[in-house]
Amino acid sequence: MNATAIPEIDQSVLNRLRAAVGEAGIITDENDKAPYLNDERGYYTGTSPMIVRPALTDEVSAVVGICNETRTPIVPQGGNTGLCGGATPYEHGGEILLSMTRMNAIRYIDVLNYTITVEAGVILADVQKAAEENDRYFPLSLGGEGTARIGGNLSTNAGGTGVLRYGPARDLCLGIEAVLPDGRIWNGLNGLRKDNTGYDIKHLFIGAEGTLGVITAACLKLFPHPADIQTAFVAVENQHAAVELLARARRITDDRVVTFEYMQREAIQFALYHIADTRDPMPNIYSHYVLMELAAGEAAATGLRDVMETVLEDAMNDGLVLDAVLAESGQQSGDFWKIRETIPEAQKFEGASSKHDISVPVSGVADFLVDAVADLQNFMPGIRPCAFGHVGDGNIHFNLSRPADMSDEEFRSKEFDIHKIVYDRTVAMGGSISAEHGIGRLRRGDLETYKSPVALDVMRTIKASLDPNGIMNPDKVL
């Protein structure tokens, strides 16, 4: 479908959609529509004649059925916290935006089966809270968890800080309910750990960014609530020492490492300089840091701090660790995390930047950080790397700020070349150009360049089979 040649949506279609969800389920006022039509990063501002907000799965089915019958394109949206423009309609105004925010019920918690069944519009933080109230733990955690919604988390296969121990959103989902592009409802909501009855259909929709249907509910895995969490802010010798420390920590702790976040000094400095109430955890300045957390249940919780100290002492004796601070309270742990979580916000104050959400095998993280920085500094002397991220799962947010003496405009004019340098290096190391943020609209061209032709052909075949009329989030991903 050509995004520039979509006709206006006929008023008769809008009337049918209004009837399907009722007056409470539509937004047509321009001011009220605006928050839904601007993407998180401010890259895209779309238009749509109507925001449709169904409250029931049957209403989603009715809306999608009408749109399929009339060939009306749909852009599904959760909390609108995506970073690649996948939930923003195009500027032509020929798409309906389907917001899932009213489908926000927690349907069922099965404490003995360690599952929670929620609708797609439930905010991630509310899932975490509901689990905690039932002495259970839902480990998906990310910066936007106060506004991000489960349907969007699944549609983008969100990662976050707990992937090392618990996996991404895909690994935390046992079943989903989804509305197909023709309006039919597929109920795959089950809490089974084992179900070997053919294709695992839920995985078609997880990570598909709304291009194959609309996720309306999900059955999610829960875990025992950690009895103790130990947090350490660690200065390491270099990038290779960070990766080696992770391997040692996993071995010594019997794989109790739940978080392992790398930060280079420049990234930390941005946060300390621009974000209020942040302070350097250490008196001395180092070039490379790690934020590491261990967690344990009741049986192993008593000696967890001793285990953390053993890990750090062992690594310090071998020169991997230069200094370390263990959190003495929840407040101090929160202070450590504030530095890590506010790096993206702080970088905005440093002018134009180029952002990359790449992954490579964990064993290649250090080489990537060294070699990619060298590549870019050769290309653009003075460029300021701002690398941070989830070393534990090989995912680096490899951001780059313009040289201090370069204008934003000149830097942006060279962004295509910057992307090519980063992605060429990533793919050469067997990596991915998108680790957790997805493709959306932003990376469609890059996907065409770096994804194998066979993989793209399979994806297009699936898309054509499930959505022959091309109404589901057109011109996104593919």
Side-chain angles (χ1 to χ4, degrees):
M1 183 177 292
N2 188 336
T4 62
I6 297 178
E8 289 186 6
I9 300 172
D10 191 82
Q11 185 61 46
S12 64
V13 176
L14 299 180
N15 291 342
R16 292 176 66 186
L17 295 174
R18 182 189 300 265
V21 299
E23 289 297 325
I26 60 105
I27 300 174
T28 55
D29 179 81
E30 293 301 323
N31 291 330
D32 293 340
K33 287 192 297 182
Y36 299 86
L37 301 176
N38 295 281
D39 85 300
E40 175 75 12
R41 282 181 172 171
Y43 289 176
Y44 308 111
T45 298
T47 58
S48 175
M50 180 180 286
I51 311 297
V52 182
R53 301 173 64 231
L56 303 168
T57 300
D58 286 344
E59 292 182 358
V60 178
S61 174
V63 168
V64 175
I66 292 167
C67 289
N68 188 57
E69 175 195 336
T70 59
R71 307 297 194 268
T72 302
I74 302 171
V75 179
Q77 186 182 96
N80 197 23
T81 59
L83 299 177
C84 295
T88 305
Y90 276 85
E91 295 80 2
H92 52 65
E95 299 167 305
I96 290 296
L97 191 144
L98 182 69
S99 170
M100 301 300 290
T101 52
R102 292 179 71 212
M103 290 196 63
N104 55 14
I106 295 174
R107 293 185 181 178
Y108 180 60
I109 299 178
D110 188 339
V111 293
L112 296 182
N113 196 43
Y114 280 79
T115 56
I116 182 170
T117 301
V118 303
E119 292 181 340
V122 175
I123 293 172
L124 172 55
D126 291 340
V127 180
Q128 298 167 348
K129 181 180 178 182
E132 187 170 356
E133 289 172 348
N134 286 270
D135 194 31
R136 296 293 183 264
Y137 178 63
F138 185 64
L140 184 61
S141 180
L142 40 89
E145 62 193 30
T147 51
R149 296 174 188 261
I150 285 297
N153 295 149
L154 291 170
S155 293
T156 56
N157 189 28
T161 58
V163 173
L164 169 62
R165 177 74 170 270
Y166 299 101
R170 182 183 301 278
D171 293 347
L172 298 173
C173 182
L174 292 172
I176 67 168
E177 174 188 85
V179 173
L180 306 182
D182 61 7
R184 287 181 296 165
I185 300 170
W186 173 62
N187 189 341
L189 283 176
N190 64 63
L192 300 177
R193 265 70 176 180
K194 287 185 172 182
D195 180 5
N196 200 17
T197 55
Y199 305 144
D200 198 342
I201 298 173
K202 68 176 178 289
H203 287 301
L204 286 174
F205 301 95
I206 300 173
E209 301 186 47
T211 60
L212 300 179
V214 182
I215 295 174
T216 51
C219 180
L220 307 169
K221 294 180 185 177
L222 299 179
F223 296 83
H225 203 284
D228 188 23
I229 298 176
Q230 292 292 326
T231 308
F233 204 95
V234 185
V236 292
E237 173 66 22
N238 51 36
Q239 300 94 325
H240 289 85
V243 176
E244 175 62 27
L245 175 61
L246 170 62
R248 290 192 184 199
R250 294 188 65 182
R251 174 178 56 82
I252 293 172
T253 67
D254 192 24
D255 229 358
R256 294 195 182 107
V257 184
V258 293
T259 300
F260 199 88
E261 299 284 305
Y262 169 80
M263 295 164 284
Q264 67 176 95
R265 180 65 198 186
E266 288 82 353
I268 290 177
Q269 196 63 50
F270 287 171
L272 296 176
Y273 187 75
H274 294 294
I275 305 300
D277 300 321
T278 55
R279 62 183 183 85
D280 203 324
M282 300 175 183
N284 298 319
I285 293 176
Y286 302 94
S287 298
H288 309 278
Y289 300 82
V290 164
L291 179 57
M292 179 169 63
E293 285 193 333
L294 307 180
E298 293 180 5
T302 304
L304 191 61
R305 188 175 183 86
D306 292 338
V307 172
M308 175 72 89
E309 291 175 351
T310 297
V311 169
L312 295 174
E313 288 171 4
D314 178 75
M316 193 171 289
N317 290 336
D318 288 340
L320 301 176
V321 170
L322 305 178
D323 199 358
V325 180
L326 274 67
E328 300 290 345
S329 64
Q331 176 64 48
Q332 190 173 18
S333 175
D335 290 343
F336 294 167
W337 273 107
K338 184 171 184 178
I339 294 173
R340 161 62 184 88
E341 291 177 342
T342 57
I343 290 171
E345 178 185 350
Q347 191 182 18
K348 295 176 183 178
F349 294 94
E350 294 292 326
S353 64
S354 181
K355 300 178 184 293
H356 309 88
D357 165 46
I358 63 91
S359 66
V360 294
V362 174
S363 57
V365 165
D367 287 340
F368 173 83
L369 287 169
V370 172
D371 295 341
V373 167
D375 292 342
L376 287 158
Q377 288 177 336
N378 286 333
F379 170 72
M380 184 181 290
I383 196 169
R384 294 176 292 165
C386 179
F388 61 97
H390 323 304
V391 170
D393 54 51
N395 175 199
I396 296 296
H397 300 301
F398 192 66
N399 298 349
L400 301 142
S401 287
R402 62 166 172 76
D405 59 353
M406 180 180 287
S407 69
D408 287 353
E409 292 72 21
E410 182 181 358
F411 182 80
R412 291 192 180 105
S413 73
K414 301 178 185 297
E415 192 164 14
F416 175 84
D417 297 312
I418 293 172
H419 287 327
K420 187 175 188 308
I421 290 169
V422 174
Y423 292 149
D424 283 355
R425 172 69 63 179
T426 299
V427 174
M429 297 183 68
S432 168
I433 65 168
S434 179
E436 63 178 3
H437 293 165
I439 299 299
R441 180 176 172 181
L442 181 66
R443 295 196 176 102
R444 284 177 59 211
D446 296 321
L447 187 72
E448 291 285 332
T449 300
Y450 293 102
K451 196 81 169 175
S452 83
V454 173
L456 287 170
D457 185 58
V458 171
M459 290 169 67
R460 291 191 180 102
T461 300
I462 294 171
K463 170 72 171 174
S465 177
L466 287 178
D467 183 23
N469 294 325
I471 66 163
M472 296 306 307
N473 217 5
D475 295 300
K476 308 289 177 54
V477 183
L478 294 171

